[in-house]
PDB file of all heavy atoms in Angstrom:
ATOM      1  N   ALA I1264    -129.983 169.422-164.151  1.00 92.00           N
ATOM      2  CA  ALA I1264    -129.814 168.348-163.198  1.00 92.00           C
ATOM      3  C   ALA I1264    -131.076 168.353-162.420  1.00 92.00           C
ATOM      4  O   ALA I1264    -131.581 167.172-162.011  1.00 92.00           O
ATOM      5  CB  ALA I1264    -128.608 168.570-162.318  1.00 92.00           C
ATOM      6  N   GLY I1323    -124.522 177.653-147.392  1.00 93.00           N
ATOM      7  CA  GLY I1323    -125.573 178.368-146.762  1.00 93.00           C
ATOM      8  C   GLY I1323    -126.416 177.598-145.825  1.00 93.00           C
ATOM      9  O   GLY I1323    -127.202 178.303-145.064  1.00 93.00           O
ATOM     10  N   GLU I1373    -125.686 163.024-159.997  1.00 82.00           N
ATOM     11  CA  GLU I1373    -125.933 162.294-161.271  1.00 82.00           C
ATOM     12  C   GLU I1373    -124.900 161.103-161.226  1.00 82.00           C
ATOM     13  O   GLU I1373    -124.008 161.124-160.480  1.00 82.00           O
ATOM     14  CB  GLU I1373    -125.707 163.250-162.371  1.00 82.00           C
ATOM     15  CG  GLU I1373    -126.630 164.366-162.449  1.00 82.00           C
ATOM     16  CD  GLU I1373    -126.618 165.175-163.657  1.00 82.00           C
ATOM     17  OE1 GLU I1373    -126.940 164.596-164.778  1.00 82.00           O
ATOM     18  OE2 GLU I1373    -126.219 166.376-163.596  1.00 82.00           O
ATOM     19  N   ALA I1378    -129.047 150.461-159.042  1.00 87.00           N
ATOM     20  CA  ALA I1378    -128.986 149.768-157.768  1.00 87.00           C
ATOM     21  C   ALA I1378    -128.950 150.833-156.583  1.00 87.00           C
ATOM     22  O   ALA I1378    -129.527 150.609-155.557  1.00 87.00           O
ATOM     23  CB  ALA I1378    -127.842 148.798-157.730  1.00 87.00           C
TER      24      ALA I1378
END
Side-chain angles (χ1 to χ4, degrees):
E1373 297 190 66

